[in-house]
Amino acid sequence: MKDLYRRNNLESGESNAVKIHGIENGFEEDREAAFSIFLNQARKDVYDNTHRTLKSIGRLRTTFNLNTVDWKNNNSDYVALTQKPIIRHQSTEKNEPVFQNKKSFNEGTTFNTNKKSTSKIKNENVHSTFNSNRDNSASSDSKSQNLQVLLQKFAWICGVSFFVVIVWLMFFGRDSGMEAEAPKKQYKYAANRIVNVYRKPSLSETIVASLKKYEDVTVNPVKSKGEWDFVNIGEKGAYVLREELTFGSGEKKLLEDCRMDGVARPESSELLLYRPTGIHKLIISNPPGKDALLKMKSSHGKTAFFAYIRGGENFIVENIAEGDYYFEFSIGDNYGPSCGIFLDETYVVRDEEPKYFNSRLDGFKQYPKTITYVLKSEIFNTKRIPMQNF
Amino acid sequence: MNSKTIFFDELCGASQGVDVSVTLGLLWMAACDGSITPNEQKKIAKYYNSAPGNEVFQNSIFRKKALAALKDEDSDVLEKMCDVLKKDLNIDEQQYFFRLLIDIASAEDAISVSKNYILRFFLDLFEIESDYLSKEYLSVTGELLPELGDPSSPLWWDYEDSVKTGSFETMARYRENLSEAQARHILGLSNTAIAKDIKMAYRRLAQHYHPDRHEGLDDTKRKKLEQSFLLVQQAYEVLKR
């Protein structure tokens, strides 16, 4: 299902006149649908309810990693971009609910919380047993006193031995190599161009992700098995063949490799990658200071163009295709042409808010859209990203 | 953290996290079409009457707050609800909860697109096999689960209108004048689908709607089923040309 509100820049409560204006200026391919739905109250009601539900489901599917290919294909307008971490609600042992299920649907199955009451009953029974014993037996007091003295002695011995062990470890443990040390995390990076990440340590298992060359990962040596390193990717973690990872920082290695190929300073008019297919125009403005690199990417992550803009210069890109785009830019010194990044004093940011290139039609002519984009790291929606992901 | 999240936490802290989540899930299903119909109310009340120990649903303040949170699409509340349902229910309980949802979704004559989407979402959330939904829907309601509709498509609305008018002649006319785009929509195919995709989609739907596969249906349901089957056949014929 398409999000006709977003595609036509409309809000759900707007009047019909505003809607007609919005639809006329929106996407041509959605015009027929928008007219036939927004101007028919019965259809609009059904559409609005489904739209609201799908927005919630889209966010939930992203949060719970349920965005299957089918879902993305049919409801690409309702795929949330960012993933929020799930904070599980805290329930103490005493308050933990118990869900009792009776399998047959017609037998009046209940979702009751009975654990609390059960544990209460158990505690009461324990207390009553303990009390009755004390009342009935005259010698139980002296026995319990002896037990208390024994327990105190035992606790004292335990405390002293613990202290002795700590002192011994402090003075001798280090020299004798017996220091109790928790296994440390290992920091590695992908050594090959594309490194597959598997659900379980076997080449026949499902591939859950892939790493680009120089991408950093954290390895958990405790969970690593044989020739496989356990990496913290996704909720549960996954496995990568050890030979495809190298110790160290991917970012440092990337810079080292790029430096060997030398540096350059292209002209602002030089487009490093360009796929012209449309009618729209983008004016990029780089304030005086450092040079910048700009990448415009489609919502699928494909780069539409890649440009170098010198500090204090403007640059115009024409023939941009219709659609939503995300901007990623980098500012720094010493451009490495072989890697397409700055090698010194560099930082890379991504503008989380997409820019829409959509044409306006008046029945006779199609008017292109022009967007001016100023390269500033202080833009409201920018987020710093690793250099390797640029 | 907003006030609605606090109210959820307060109730969960009072040992009723699962009850709160189950109730929220049922209310979400019932209220997703804008309001809760009397039939849906009856279905929910029927369940809660058979579970008198459950205090959550009896709490009118909770009901109001829950409905307000669902109306505002409060993602925090929905996320917490799903998290509890996924992690605190065992497989049997999840399947039972799913049957409750189907029961409420089918309270009215036809299941709405929103409800259909919610059912499929919970199916994926609980990692239940996809066949389970159609089987359970048939066993709970005695009817076939409709394919997912697309209320943003005028084609879908045309077909819905012809079904609502109920005249099989209108449907037959619609069938005869089926365009290629409509046929693709009926088979759930994109513009890039190749011959193999078309054949697979046809086989899947033909199996789903074949009258011989569903014995014991009354005359009206059988006729509806035949019409759907003929429509799928016609869509395949159009795309085969």
Side-chain angles (χ1 to χ4, degrees), chain B residues 12-230:
Chain B
C12 289
S15 84
Q16 291 169 324
V18 171
D19 274 349
V20 168
S21 303
V22 168
T23 310
L24 269 170
L26 300 183
L27 287 175
W28 188 31
M29 175 56 84
C32 68
D33 288 332
S35 60
I36 302 179
T37 65
N39 283 345
E40 287 164 346
Q41 264 176 352
K42 273 184 204 166
K43 294 262 183 185
I44 298 177
K46 186 182 146 195
Y47 159 66
Y48 279 102
N49 286 339
S50 64
N54 191 312
E55 294 162 8
V56 175
F57 188 70
Q58 318 296 342
N59 184 339
S60 61
I61 298 170
F62 166 77
R63 278 207 309 272
K64 274 185 189 169
K65 283 187 176 181
L67 285 172
L70 294 172
K71 200 177 175 184
D72 292 352
E73 303 159 31
D74 192 311
S75 54
D76 284 344
V77 168
L78 286 174
E79 272 172 28
K80 289 192 174 198
M81 170 194 84
C82 293
D83 194 34
V84 171
L85 291 175
K86 187 177 181 180
K87 290 176 180 165
D88 288 3
L89 302 192
N90 63 36
I91 295 169
D92 286 343
E93 290 161 351
Q94 285 175 348
Q95 290 185 355
Y96 170 66
F97 173 71
F98 200 69
R99 286 168 68 90
L100 280 178
L101 287 178
I102 292 174
D103 197 33
I104 293 168
S106 58
E108 297 303 319
D109 285 344
I111 177 172
S112 71
V113 181
S114 312
K115 286 181 171 141
N116 207 331
Y117 267 114
I118 293 178
L119 281 178
R120 284 159 205 263
F121 164 69
F122 277 113
L123 192 77
D124 287 347
L125 182 73
F126 296 152
E127 294 169 18
I128 302 174
E129 286 173 18
S130 52
D131 292 352
Y132 182 82
L133 175 58
S134 46
K135 280 179 195 165
E136 282 302 307
Y137 191 85
L138 191 64
S139 80
V140 172
T141 65
E143 287 181 10
L144 286 174
L145 177 72
E147 289 292 306
L148 271 173
D150 182 0
S152 68
S153 157
L155 298 170
W156 181 76
W157 279 107
D158 288 347
Y159 179 67
E160 280 296 294
D161 288 347
S162 71
V163 172
K164 267 181 195 165
T165 50
S167 63
F168 292 133
E169 291 79 19
T170 320
M171 289 173 77
R173 258 203 314 278
Y174 175 78
R175 217 168 41 232
E176 282 159 15
N177 299 320
L178 214 58
S179 72
E180 197 175 312
Q182 284 171 321
R184 279 181 191 280
H185 178 73
I186 288 163
L187 295 184
L189 295 166
S190 66
N191 292 334
T192 54
I194 55 171
K196 194 180 162 192
D197 300 331
I198 296 169
K199 205 168 187 176
M200 278 174 68
Y202 165 68
R203 280 189 180 167
R204 184 173 57 83
L205 287 172
Q207 273 188 356
H208 185 88
Y209 286 115
H210 201 290
D212 291 350
R213 279 175 59 92
H214 308 285
E215 290 172 3
L217 293 177
D218 61 37
D219 272 1
T220 325
K221 282 176 187 170
R222 178 165 284 276
K223 277 182 183 170
K224 270 189 184 176
L225 205 64
E226 281 169 4
Q227 290 300 319
S228 306
F229 180 69
L230 288 173

Side-chain angles (χ1 to χ4, degrees), chain A residues 228-246:
Chain A
W228 293 84
D229 273 342
F230 182 86
V231 292
N232 295 321
I233 288 177
E235 256 183 43
K236 294 176 181 172
Y239 291 86
V240 178
L241 262 178
R242 187 165 298 146
E243 65 189 25
E244 297 199 282
L245 297 176
T246 310

Side-chain angles (χ1 to χ4, degrees), chain A residues 1-4 32-34 36-37 42-44 46-47 49-57 59-61 63-64 66 68 71 74-75 84-92 94-113 116 235-236, chain B residues 8-9 12-19 22 28 31-34 46-47 50-54 70-71 73 75-76 78-80 82-84 86-90 92-94 96-97 99-100 103 113-114 117-118 120-121 124-125 140 150-154 156-158 161:
Chain A
M1 189 172 119
K2 290 176 183 172
D3 186 348
L4 295 176
E32 188 200 348
S36 73
I37 288 153
R43 289 182 179 189
K44 185 179 168 295
V46 173
Y47 176 81
N49 291 331
T50 317
H51 170 69
R52 198 177 55 238
T53 309
L54 273 181
K55 264 167 73 180
S56 303
I57 290 178
R59 278 196 298 264
L60 291 170
R61 291 188 81 100
T63 308
F64 290 92
L66 302 173
T68 53
W71 167 261
N74 298 328
N75 305 291
K84 285 169 67 180
I86 304 165
I87 302 161
R88 209 157 136 68
H89 84 279
Q90 291 172 345
S91 57
T92 57
K94 279 180 187 174
N95 294 332
E96 192 180 333
V98 174
F99 179 89
Q100 284 194 335
N101 177 41
K102 295 167 188 170
K103 284 185 184 170
S104 167
F105 182 62
N106 297 321
E107 285 170 14
T109 306
T110 56
F111 296 82
N112 282 341
T113 52
K116 190 179 175 186
E235 256 183 43
K236 294 176 181 172
Chain B
F8 186 94
D9 282 348
C12 289
S15 84
Q16 291 169 324
V18 171
D19 274 349
V22 168
W28 188 31
C32 68
D33 288 332
K46 186 182 146 195
Y47 159 66
S50 64
N54 191 312
L70 294 172
K71 200 177 175 184
E73 303 159 31
S75 54
D76 284 344
L78 286 174
E79 272 172 28
K80 289 192 174 198
C82 293
D83 194 34
V84 171
K86 187 177 181 180
K87 290 176 180 165
D88 288 3
L89 302 192
N90 63 36
D92 286 343
E93 290 161 351
Q94 285 175 348
Y96 170 66
F97 173 71
R99 286 168 68 90
L100 280 178
D103 197 33
V113 181
S114 312
Y117 267 114
I118 293 178
R120 284 159 205 263
F121 164 69
D124 287 347
L125 182 73
V140 172
D150 182 0
S152 68
S153 157
W156 181 76
W157 279 107
D158 288 347
D161 288 347

Side-chain angles (χ1 to χ4, degrees), chain A residues 101-367:
Chain A
N101 177 41
K102 295 167 188 170
K103 284 185 184 170
S104 167
F105 182 62
N106 297 321
E107 285 170 14
T109 306
T110 56
F111 296 82
N112 282 341
T113 52
N114 286 343
K115 195 170 187 177
K116 190 179 175 186
S117 56
T118 318
S119 61
K120 226 179 203 177
I121 293 162
K122 275 183 188 168
N123 286 338
E124 279 163 10
N125 289 340
V126 170
H127 277 294
S128 62
T129 316
F130 181 73
N131 289 337
S132 63
N133 281 347
R134 192 160 59 174
D135 295 341
N136 294 339
S137 156
S139 62
S140 63
D141 280 349
S142 61
K143 274 183 183 172
S144 66
Q145 276 177 0
N146 287 340
L147 192 67
Q148 272 186 349
V149 172
L150 275 172
L151 279 172
Q152 277 174 358
K153 279 184 181 173
F154 180 68
W156 187 82
I157 290 165
C158 283
V160 169
S161 0
F162 180 69
F163 180 72
V164 169
V165 169
I166 294 289
V167 170
W168 185 80
L169 277 175
M170 278 173 69
F171 286 96
F172 306 107
R174 194 179 296 243
D175 296 336
S176 60
M178 288 177 66
E179 192 173 10
E181 191 179 306
K184 284 180 184 169
K185 285 177 185 172
Q186 297 168 346
Y187 298 98
K188 295 187 177 183
Y189 65 88
N192 296 332
R193 202 168 68 83
I194 290 176
V195 175
N196 287 333
V197 183
Y198 297 83
R199 190 204 300 269
K200 285 181 183 170
S202 163
L203 288 174
S204 55
E205 276 295 329
T206 318
I207 296 170
V208 291
S210 61
L211 303 172
K212 282 184 199 166
K213 193 174 182 182
Y214 303 117
E215 196 167 337
D216 287 314
V217 285
T218 312
V219 174
N220 185 341
V222 179
K223 291 184 180 176
S224 298
K225 290 175 185 170
E227 292 301 306
W228 293 84
D229 273 342
F230 182 86
V231 292
N232 295 321
I233 288 177
E235 256 183 43
K236 294 176 181 172
Y239 291 86
V240 178
L241 262 178
R242 187 165 298 146
E243 65 189 25
E244 297 199 282
L245 297 176
T246 310
F247 278 102
S249 156
E251 190 175 315
K252 277 185 187 170
K253 179 68 180 161
L254 171 67
L255 289 175
E256 268 176 32
D257 288 354
C258 295
R259 229 177 273 281
M260 289 169 76
D261 298 327
V263 295
R265 196 182 181 213
E267 294 293 326
S268 282
S269 55
E270 191 174 333
L271 274 167
L272 306 167
L273 181 79
Y274 184 40
R275 292 192 177 96
T277 47
I279 56 166
H280 304 290
K281 192 195 274 187
L282 173 71
I283 302 168
I284 312 157
S285 170
N286 189 12
K290 292 194 172 185
D291 294 356
L293 290 165
L294 177 74
K295 269 186 186 176
M296 192 172 84
K297 290 185 177 177
S298 69
S299 51
H300 303 292
K302 194 174 179 181
T303 306
F305 78 79
F306 178 29
Y308 188 97
I309 306 108
R310 291 185 172 190
E313 290 184 15
N314 292 339
F315 180 40
I316 298 170
V317 187
E318 288 181 329
N319 303 332
I320 293 171
E322 191 124 338
D324 307 351
Y325 294 97
Y326 291 87
F327 288 132
E328 285 177 9
F329 63 92
S330 172
I331 293 174
D333 295 331
N334 297 332
Y335 173 68
S338 63
C339 306
I341 53 166
F342 287 112
L343 304 179
D344 294 303
E345 305 271 319
T346 181
Y347 71 87
V348 185
V349 288
R350 178 183 164 92
D351 192 347
E352 295 279 283
E353 193 181 341
K355 298 280 175 283
Y356 305 109
F357 284 96
N358 49 353
S359 49
R360 189 170 60 81
L361 287 106
D362 63 359
F364 300 100
K365 201 177 169 188
Q366 197 174 10
Y367 297 96

